[in-house]
Structures are given as C-alpha cells and as structure tokens.
Amino acid sequence: MMQLSINSPNISEQLLKLVNTSFSNCNYPTSSLTSIVLPIQKSKNVEQLSDLRPIYLQPILANFVEKFVHNQLTDFINTNKILYNAQFGFRKSYSTAQAQLAITEFIYKNLKIGNICILRHC
C-alpha cells in the first residue's frame, strides 16, 4: 500500500482508495488515459514537423499513478536485485561517468596481469 502526504485527509483517503482499487481490480479510469498534445515551436520559422516539440498535458491522476508505479517498480527491482550490477542506465545514483570508470578499471586491471583487452562500442 502507498502512503500519501496531503493536508486534507479526505482527499488523500479518496486518492489512495482510487489507486489501490484500480490496481487490485486491474481497472484504470479511462478519463485518465487521455493526454492533450500541444505543439510548441522550437524555432521562429515553422516549416516542418521537426520544427515543433510536443508537450503532453496529462490529468493529475495519471501523473500521480505514474509516480506511484515508478516508485513501486523501482523498490521491487532494487529489493530483489533484479538488475545486473553493471547496469548503469535508468538507475538512481548511477551515471555514465561511473560506467566509464568501471570500464577503465576493468581494462587497467586486465592489462596489468597481461591480458589483451579489446573494447567494442556498438
């Protein structure tokens, strides 16, 4: 179950009830599935679609549920150690700099003991 910190107990109880019921019944309100897409121009001259950037306006409930699902999945993945330790992308407190450092350390360690290292970037 999720905990929510909102000043109004009536609102927080209703939101939690809605989210928990929708997940337990595998049913999500269809009104929260629709987003409004607004094209915002990137440059002064709009001649092609590539000159526009889409901005999505989602219902508040959809944002709330998205954050809830993200937190639950992240906690589950971290608790059950599903990801490989060398997985650096899409993880909190991991960065590309750490990935580069790990590769560099691996190469230096293997070169030091006489191994040949080849780095293939795809």
Side-chain angles (χ1 to χ4, degrees):
M1 290 292 174
M2 187 174 84
Q3 293 181 349
L4 180 63
S5 213
I6 295 181
N7 291 338
S8 173
N10 293 334
I11 294 174
S12 63
E13 287 175 20
Q14 292 303 317
L15 278 174
L16 285 175
K17 184 177 178 182
L18 179 64
V19 171
N20 289 330
T21 302
S22 68
F23 281 119
S24 62
N25 295 337
C26 296
N27 189 5
Y28 189 71
T30 55
S31 62
S32 295
L33 296 175
T34 305
S35 296
I36 298 171
V37 181
L38 297 176
I40 305 295
Q41 63 187 68
K42 292 182 193 177
S43 60
K44 291 184 180 182
N45 298 329
V46 178
E47 297 176 4
Q48 299 177 3
L49 285 177
S50 61
D51 295 331
L52 299 171
R53 178 180 63 235
I55 301 294
Y56 297 91
L57 300 178
Q58 295 180 316
I60 293 173
L61 181 63
N63 289 332
F64 175 73
V65 171
E66 181 180 339
K67 186 149 184 101
F68 170 73
V69 170
H70 175 267
N71 290 340
Q72 291 292 314
L73 283 173
T74 303
D75 289 345
F76 179 80
I77 288 169
N78 291 337
T79 301
N80 294 298
K81 298 180 180 171
I82 293 174
L83 292 179
Y84 178 59
N85 286 337
Q87 170 71 37
F88 290 93
F90 306 105
R91 292 178 74 184
K92 188 175 184 177
S93 302
Y94 285 79
S95 67
T96 54
Q98 288 175 310
Q100 290 173 332
L101 182 60
I103 290 170
T104 304
E105 287 178 359
F106 177 81
I107 291 171
Y108 279 134
K109 187 189 304 182
N110 280 284
L111 288 175
K112 194 173 187 179
I113 59 174
N115 292 338
I116 297 173
C117 294
I118 298 174
L119 179 63
R120 180 178 162 215
H121 185 267
C122 299

